[in-house]
Amino acid sequence: MAGIDESKPFLPVRIAILTVSDTRTLENDTSGATLVARLEGAGHVLADRAIVKDDVAAIRARLERWIADPEVDVVISTGGTGVTGRDVTPEAFQGLYEKEIPGFGEVFRFLSYPKIGTSTIQSRATAGVVRGTYLFALPGSTGACKDGWDGILVWQLDSRYQPCNFVEMMPRLMEHMAPADH
């Protein structure tokens, strides 16, 4: 049965929050602030927070810095996952993935459907792993960030969640890499 195994220890995860937007600032970024409040409320550590423009190169540059930083275990982004010309977050993320986690986007849309109906098909939420760092891309609305965190990430980033979770796999994410590649 799925749930929290209270006999296991909680292991805090170091999470960076990335907002992808041409218009938001730290002062008016309610989606990023929502994710920060939720991750800290769950007992995790905010490793860093940034805002970048809707530009593949800018998004990838920020992701690459965090992927290379041993103090960042997970990156969660908000924004840029729609279908307009400026929405390029999935392209930026997918160009870096070593392994995609397709179930993340599928479950995200499943959770969104009761709230927004068929409009959920406009979301290109995505996730993957790059050099031992998990990347999760959520839509830019505060509601979508709440859905993604409350419905998926709060559980999968909790080391006590059973039958399995992303945290327990962290030590094995780079098994395929030679020690010099780490």
Side-chain angles (χ1 to χ4, degrees):
M1 183 150 184
I4 299 295
D5 180 348
E6 297 291 347
S7 70
K8 293 186 173 229
F10 175 80
L11 303 173
V13 176
R14 298 165 298 195
I15 304 171
I17 299 297
L18 177 64
T19 299
V20 178
S21 174
D22 289 336
T23 59
R24 292 190 186 168
T25 65
L26 285 176
E27 292 74 36
N28 67 13
D29 177 22
T30 57
S31 295
T34 295
L35 289 169
V36 169
R38 277 175 158 65
L39 75 88
E40 290 178 338
H44 298 294
V45 176
L46 177 64
D48 200 2
R49 182 175 175 194
I51 297 176
V52 298
K53 300 286 183 200
D54 292 279
D55 175 77
V56 171
I59 296 166
R60 283 189 185 160
R62 174 54 71 172
L63 291 174
E64 287 284 3
R65 282 194 292 273
W66 283 335
I67 292 164
D69 186 342
E71 296 301 311
V72 176
D73 302 311
V74 173
V75 176
I76 304 172
S77 75
T78 173
T81 63
V83 296
T84 71
R86 297 292 299 154
D87 294 322
V88 296
T89 301
E91 288 76 14
F93 275 54
Q94 290 163 347
L96 296 174
Y97 291 159
E98 292 168 355
K99 295 192 179 200
E100 188 170 6
I101 306 170
F104 178 77
E106 294 163 0
V107 171
F108 176 80
R109 286 179 285 279
F110 171 80
L111 293 171
S112 296
Y113 182 76
K115 297 174 183 176
I116 64 170
T118 59
S119 296
T120 194
I121 66 170
Q122 295 180 28
S123 165
R124 296 185 303 141
T126 184
V129 180
V130 183
R131 294 191 308 276
T133 303
Y134 287 109
L135 305 180
F136 301 98
L138 293 168
S141 76
T142 302
C145 289
K146 289 176 183 177
D147 290 346
W149 180 267
D150 298 347
I152 305 169
L153 295 174
V154 72
W155 306 111
Q156 283 298 299
L157 296 178
D158 190 320
S159 55
R160 304 165 301 167
Y161 186 78
Q162 295 299 308
C164 57
N165 59 74
F166 287 134
V167 179
E168 66 191 5
M169 290 186 280
M170 285 178 167
R172 299 187 338 252
L173 291 177
M174 297 191 14
E175 289 174 328
H176 69 288
M177 298 180 82
D181 293 337
H182 291 219

